[in-house]
Amino acid sequence: MTVKTRFAPSPTGFLHIGGVRTALFSWLYARHHGGQFVLRIEDTDRERSTQAAVDAILDGLAWLGLDHDEGPYYQTRRFDRYAEQADRLLREGKAYRCYCTREELEARRAEQMARGEKPRYDGRCRHRAGPVPGVAPVLRFVTPTEGVTVVDDLVRGRVEFQNAELDDLILVRSDGTPTFHFGVVVDDGDMGITHVIRGDDHLNNTPRQMHMIRALGYHLPAYGHLPMILGSDGAKLSKRHGAVNVLEYREEGFLPDALLNYLVRLGWAHGDQEIFTREEMIRLFDIAGVNASASRFDGEKLRWLNQQYLKSADPAGLAAPFAEQLKHAGFDPGAGPPAAAVIEAYRERAATLRDIAHSAGYLYGDRVQMDDAAARKHLTTAVGGALAQLAVRLGSLAEWTRGGIHEVMTSVATDAGLGFGKLGQPVRVAVTGGTVSPPIDVTLELVGRKRTLARLTAALSLTGSGTGA
RNA sequence: GCUCCCUUCGUCUAGCGGUUAGGACGCGGCCCUCUCAAGGCUGAAACGCGGGUUCGAUUCCCGCAGGGAGCGCCA
């Protein structure tokens, strides 16, 4: 049997980080077994579904490289099929028209709650004699009232439900549109989904869906219900925990593989291994090893992982997203050194591409933003002479390379009777405007000769030693 | 309220009857060092509680407590 899984988001908002983890595990399962991965857009709620949300979902999945083999299917384009299946159930006596009004249902629910009972439909229309004038009926499914339904969950193990706990759920609304449960069942059946991997908020819905699947004559899929991802404080993941929209992670300068790697370790592990390539994930992932308990999202660990990926990535391949970061930070990527060189110099001291863009602004223009406190501390009269000397020596340096720059700096420091650091830090402040940057020779190499000399000269006036030397 | 699920360091997790309970993030210390990092070494830090079963329970069973989900003409 060929494995076929699916990801079936509803386009009522952006692609949520929890949804991505569900998609990832479903995708991994299909890929691991050499199966198929289907994308289906569950847009039966026409009020809340938007094209913008569909685009965001497609965008997010594409960015992460979670490719699908079939779809995207849209439920709104399959209404005829749902109607056909609904008619069949009605004809076969497996469904019936219910004329209870929303108001009646609501009142009964309130009564049941007041009595301490589980609110559910009492099935009274199963035996109603005829239509009620003026009331557009819904179609309800005839759910067994006795016996137990067993879900053999790939993640949870065996879970039993008393059928008496279930009620006759609505298949088709009074306006003729299918409900979520009905759409899911018909779609999974028609599309030949073999493994339903989804969030554990659906575990309780599974037995009722299983009954519908049997009634429709489809094969039962295997189920795997994944635990939730919570915010850092254990509450439901929401905006206040930081980004929940995947695309925000792209905007913040995270790498897709790092995000996937972080997510795959939420609820799953392979011994002590922390870093997995895409191929390793596919090869090693096993749904049976997935934890049943919810986990919390830890942005710090994501940042750490992202840096690991930054450090081992091919810098040239990061040029495009890095250029985007520079633009967002207000810099012109063309006004500085090649992206790959900057990334290489900075990736040991930054967790994201955005961090790099925010640290390396001095490379992208002629002006530096001088940190006054740093200038007061490091650009002192005592180093004025050495800085002036350095400017002269660097001006005549044959080749502008870090090696040559380093030699000159060592030589100038020695001549001035200074330790390398006593010269290096003032130079750093002069050239970058701050106290933090890559190794000073690398920094100067990136800044370039012209700007370095101009900035050293400008710094001399701050040291109060005039032209010095 | 009813039904279902979950419970190892702060967090992510390894463990699948006998371990000094391991790793990772974060946090502290030391080393390295021109700054910041990165890296290396190192320290503190966990089996929710109560009953069983067993020679022996973190591990199996049952309660309890705590957390979560579901109970819509939402998905």
Side-chain angles (χ1 to χ4, degrees):
Chain A
M1 177 189 65
T2 306
V3 166
K4 201 168 185 182
T5 66
R6 44 72 161 185
F7 178 53
S10 55
T12 55
F14 48 74
L15 181 53
H16 192 273
I17 202 76
V20 171
R21 208 275 304 260
T22 302
L24 172 63
F25 280 22
S26 195
W27 179 85
L28 283 174
Y29 190 81
R31 292 287 171 262
H32 177 83
H33 291 281
Q36 308 264 291
F37 181 60
V38 177
L39 177 61
R40 184 172 73 226
I41 305 296
E42 309 215 322
D43 53 353
T44 53
D45 184 355
R46 311 182 93 149
E47 297 287 301
R48 299 195 300 150
S49 300
T50 65
Q51 185 58 43
V54 172
D55 293 343
I57 290 167
L58 263 26
D59 244 31
L61 292 176
W63 176 58
L64 292 164
L66 298 181
D67 56 324
H68 50 272
D69 305 295
E70 273 183 36
Y73 293 110
Y74 292 84
Q75 292 190 318
T76 43
R77 296 182 195 165
R78 290 174 44 79
F79 278 10
D80 288 351
R81 175 58 176 161
Y82 306 132
E84 184 181 313
Q85 291 290 54
D87 283 347
R88 213 183 97 207
L89 290 178
L90 184 60
R91 270 201 317 274
E92 294 173 1
K94 293 170 179 171
Y96 60 93
R97 293 199 178 89
C98 169
Y99 292 86
C100 297
T101 64
R102 290 171 207 252
E103 293 70 30
E104 288 168 344
L105 294 172
E106 212 162 294
R108 274 178 239 154
R109 258 196 297 277
E111 282 171 35
Q112 288 167 328
M113 290 283 258
R115 271 185 263 127
E117 290 169 16
K118 182 177 185 168
R120 63 237 253 239
Y121 181 64
D122 57 13
R124 66 179 62 188
C125 285
R126 277 191 187 191
H127 309 295
R128 191 185 284 272
V132 175
V135 177
V138 299
L139 192 71
R140 283 188 189 269
F141 181 68
V142 180
T143 304
T145 53
E146 294 177 343
V148 298
T149 299
V150 175
V151 180
D152 261 316
D153 196 272
L154 265 15
V155 174
R156 316 272 151 167
R158 181 188 170 91
V159 183
E160 287 187 14
F161 294 87
Q162 295 295 324
N163 289 335
E165 292 292 333
L166 278 22
D167 63 358
D168 293 349
L169 83 190
I170 294 174
L171 265 24
V172 180
R173 302 185 184 100
S174 49
D175 66 1
T177 60
T179 59
F180 160 77
H181 289 290
F182 189 50
V184 164
V185 159
V186 173
D187 285 343
D188 284 345
D190 283 353
M191 295 169 193
I193 302 302
T194 60
H195 297 259
V196 173
I197 295 168
R198 71 217 314 193
D200 72 0
D201 46 338
H202 290 300
L203 182 56
N204 286 296
N205 294 329
T206 303
R208 32 180 26 167
Q209 292 187 359
M210 288 169 71
H211 287 128
M212 290 195 282
I213 290 167
R214 289 200 188 97
L216 287 162
Y218 292 121
H219 281 290
L220 277 175
Y223 290 97
H225 287 94
L226 306 174
M228 294 195 72
I229 297 177
L230 307 171
S232 51
D233 56 358
K236 195 170 174 181
L237 195 59
S238 67
K239 304 99 244 155
R240 70 192 168 81
H241 295 109
V244 281
N245 178 354
V246 251
L247 293 176
E248 279 180 60
Y249 287 89
R250 176 170 64 183
E251 284 166 25
E252 289 182 14
F254 286 91
L255 307 186
D257 284 12
L259 184 57
L260 252 28
N261 194 150
Y262 176 71
L263 257 15
V264 84
R265 286 284 289 97
L266 250 34
W268 178 81
H270 180 71
D272 288 340
Q273 189 170 342
E274 294 287 349
I275 297 182
F276 298 86
T277 63
R278 228 165 242 269
E279 292 66 35
E280 285 177 312
M281 277 188 217
I282 291 171
R283 180 160 49 83
L284 300 171
F285 181 77
D286 178 11
I287 189 102
V290 173
N291 270 341
S293 54
S295 47
R296 301 184 188 200
F297 192 89
D298 180 4
E300 281 304 313
K301 187 154 186 180
L302 205 212
R303 286 177 61 78
W304 173 79
L305 255 177
N306 200 63
Q307 182 171 28
Q308 299 302 310
Y309 274 82
L310 223 41
K311 287 200 300 174
S312 59
D314 170 17
L318 265 24
F322 180 59
E324 285 305 306
Q325 292 297 331
L326 285 173
K327 285 183 212 158
H328 283 142
F331 303 119
D332 172 12
V342 178
I343 292 167
E344 209 158 352
Y346 265 96
R347 58 186 175 178
E348 282 187 359
R349 41 189 55 76
T352 67
L353 290 174
R354 173 178 282 186
D355 289 351
I356 298 178
H358 285 177
S359 305
Y362 66 90
L363 294 171
Y364 296 90
D366 289 326
R367 298 174 53 111
V368 282
Q369 181 78 34
M370 185 58 70
D371 174 345
D372 292 332
R376 272 195 301 281
K377 182 175 176 193
H378 295 284
L379 298 179
T380 60
T381 312
V383 297
L387 288 182
Q389 182 60 33
L390 181 66
V392 172
R393 295 278 303 273
L394 287 177
S396 59
L397 183 61
E399 285 198 28
W400 192 256
T401 61
R402 67 187 67 176
I405 293 165
H406 193 87
E407 267 179 48
V408 169
M409 287 192 65
T410 306
S411 164
V412 170
T414 306
D415 289 353
L418 297 171
F420 191 94
K422 292 291 187 211
L423 177 62
Q425 199 61 345
V427 170
R428 175 170 283 115
V429 173
V431 169
T432 72
T435 57
V436 175
S437 85
I440 194 63
D441 49 354
V442 174
T443 300
L444 295 192
E445 185 184 70
L446 287 173
V447 170
R449 189 188 319 244
K450 190 162 158 253
R451 284 175 182 162
T452 296
L453 296 183
R455 291 173 191 183
L456 283 175
T457 304
L460 281 178
S461 61
L462 293 174
T463 66
S465 58
T467 48

